[in-house]
Amino acid sequence: MERRLAAIVCADVAGYSRMMGADEAGTHATFKAHRSAIYPIILNHGGRLVKNTGDGFLLEFPSIVGAIEAAVAMQMVMAERNEHLPADRAMQFRMGIHMGDVMADEDEVFGDDVNIAVRLESVAAPGGVAVSGKACHEAGKRLSVTFVDAGPYRFKNIEEAIHVWTWQPGGVDSGPARKAASETSATNLPAQYRTAIVGVLPFTNLSESADEYFSDGLTEDLIHALSLQSFYRVLSRNSTFSFKGKNVSTRLIAREIDATYLIQGSVRRAANKIRVTAELIAPETGEQLWTGRFDRDMGDLFAMQDELTTSLSAAIAAEIYRAEASAPPRSSSNDITAWDRFLKGLSHYYLQTKADFETAIGLFKEAIALDPTLSIARAYLATIQTQAIHFGWIKGTREVWDSAMCLAESSVRLDPRSSFAFQILAYLHALEGHYEAAMDAAKRAVGLNPYDMGARGVLGACHLYSGEHRAAVELFTMAAQRGNSDPRYQFAAFNAFSHYLLGQYDASLSWAREALYANPNHLQALAVRAAALAQLGRTAEAANATEVLLGNYPTLTVERFLRNFNWKVPADIAHFRDGLLKAGIPFSKLTLVESSPKLAADS
């Protein structure tokens, strides 16, 4: 039996017996849905599920800081999920945390320190966390939240008194102030910059009435997922569910709730299949901006619901960005604002040409000059500068790289709850070879918005740069499947590199071609295509690919190209260098020196 130091989190649901007595099936289904929603938070903080306990669960973490941060993050998510529900349906966890020496037998953990965590859970307030003094002292100043000293407690079968510190999320009540906060999203982006207002209408259930809970649950989860974006405001459930079952035009609904965009859809079940259709509408014009259909096998109902929510939110969020970029200014003032400049820059960015990139860079810089606190403009400027280097459209000087890193760091400081800001910071850290910092920022991005496929893809990039290519492929593929319409992310090119480094050259070629469909001059994609063809022994095709590459970038050499490749594993660099040289790309620029006539004569 192994002994090890661990941090233990014990959680249960306050009032679970009462809820089961009132609605057994509904309570169990709700509990499973909540547990699925917070499970990624556990993983993102390095934890593992030891066991489910009927009305709760027991978790083990290698770090007490990770355990406390995960518990707080889970309670914050639960507060958001509960805020639109009636009091009798709200499900609140109580969590107790302790650290110490535990005995591990197979997947179970035992010992007094596990028992203390269980006892601490009993004194935590619903929706709150109780931490032992030992654990709180060990975590010290590394915590981002403040705990309150609750004094010593004596627990059954525990000899010594345990000093307890507690935390509860601020404003857990559902008063007007909290409702206003929920409708403006969890971000520091100033309200005047979130001009778009999004309403999600209840999805229509086209099956039996017994399936109504699924269509309602999917709508609620989609509201939550979209609200994690910082670009627009999402109306609460109460604003849109009042129209459920009513035959009212979308234009009238939009005017009633002041919505810029409406999302509506339907759910149909047949045997073990579910079909979800959805559309994004500009209600004032009636224009259908996007429509999608998703067919899924039933399987684990709540896992499927979460997967559908992720796919829907990834597709819809990107389309709202696109629509806002091309929308006319809504300000009644004739003054040019930072937001006007930013949106104008965004409209050029989405055109994805070299000239438009140059225009967008200038407009983003203007927006920042007009409002230095506009975090999203800084994040986009860092992104576009980085992409322009990868595309071969601007030179990757030290000055440009430093500028991009500075923009990303300031974006995170200005909006510490922006998943996108942490994504670009993570990617730039990976490019610089700061692997741990990159992974930390990427995991933070995923934690801030588990539904954002961009965050998953950037986490994949961190695995790519660290040499963990199978994990990278899994994340890139997931991101490309669910969020492939957003030009901020170049998942096809990333996938081409990961497959190449795994020796899967045919797959690498397929992904490189995919990247070149969108941008035929993509420097990275052209290079990996030539290397993959050479490794496959397709000499003539490799020579042709090299000719195209050097035709677009005549001064390119292997030495210069690989100068900025800070991959962690030297063998990966060597592998890619080998392919480039086999493809016929010159190693370095040769300088011919005219021989001196005198030296020639003397020799």
Side-chain angles (χ1 to χ4, degrees), residues 323-470:
E324 280 295 281
S326 59
R330 298 192 184 96
S331 173
S332 58
S333 169
N334 292 324
D335 295 335
I336 295 175
T337 67
W339 193 245
D340 292 331
R341 295 291 85 190
F342 168 69
L343 288 180
K344 186 69 174 173
L346 201 61
S347 68
H348 283 279
Y349 172 69
Y350 272 94
L351 296 176
Q352 292 283 293
T353 71
K354 182 178 180 181
D356 283 296
F357 262 44
E358 291 171 353
T359 303
I361 287 173
L363 289 163
F364 289 152
K365 287 180 177 178
E366 286 182 39
I368 294 167
L370 287 166
D371 184 357
T373 68
L374 189 51
S375 168
I376 195 169
R378 291 175 177 270
Y380 263 94
L381 182 54
T383 299
I384 198 171
Q385 286 180 341
T386 306
Q387 284 186 340
I389 294 171
H390 288 340
F391 294 170
W393 289 346
I394 64 174
K395 190 175 181 181
T397 63
R398 186 70 261 166
E399 181 183 5
V400 176
W401 285 120
D402 288 346
S403 168
M405 179 62 82
C406 181
L407 287 163
E409 289 174 339
S410 60
S411 180
V412 165
R413 283 197 303 272
L414 290 166
D415 192 355
R417 300 194 68 177
S418 167
S419 175
F420 177 40
F422 274 100
Q423 289 168 38
I424 184 60
L425 179 64
Y427 184 53
L428 286 166
H429 273 310
L431 289 173
E432 294 284 0
H434 308 149
Y435 311 111
E436 290 185 9
M439 199 67 78
D440 286 345
K443 289 179 178 178
R444 182 73 178 273
V446 173
L448 285 165
N449 190 349
Y451 301 98
D452 191 334
M453 286 298 100
R456 303 280 178 180
V458 170
L459 182 59
C462 296
H463 284 292
L464 164 63
Y465 275 78
S466 297
E468 299 156 349
H469 303 304
R470 295 195 184 279

Side-chain angles (χ1 to χ4, degrees), residues 25-26 28-38 40 81 85 89 200 203 205 210-226 237 241 266-267 269 272-276 294-314 316 450-451 453 482:
H28 180 63
T30 301
F31 174 70
K32 287 185 66 178
H34 288 321
R35 195 173 60 194
S36 297
I38 63 177
R81 290 173 71 90
L85 297 177
R89 288 183 56 199
V200 184
F203 277 43
N205 173 38
D211 293 326
E212 195 81 14
Y213 76 95
F214 181 80
S215 57
D216 286 353
L218 182 61
T219 307
E220 291 172 4
D221 282 356
L222 183 56
I223 290 170
H224 169 67
L226 290 172
R237 177 190 192 277
F241 267 69
S266 64
V267 178
R269 177 175 177 177
N272 64 338
K273 299 276 189 182
I274 280 214
R275 169 170 293 176
V276 175
F294 303 85
D295 294 323
R296 297 291 186 271
D297 291 324
M298 290 290 291
D300 183 333
L301 190 60
F302 292 101
M304 181 198 63
Q305 182 171 319
D306 193 56
E307 194 272 334
L308 276 169
T309 302
T310 302
S311 298
L312 279 164
S313 62
I316 291 169
Y451 301 98
M453 286 298 100
R482 299 184 188 174

Side-chain angles (χ1 to χ4, degrees), residues 5 26 54 57 71 97 113 126 136 190 230 260 327 404 432 527 529 540 542 550 576:
L5 187 65
F57 44 82
I97 306 176
D113 291 302
C136 204
S230 62
T260 316
E432 294 284 0
R529 179 179 69 169
L550 296 178
F576 190 37

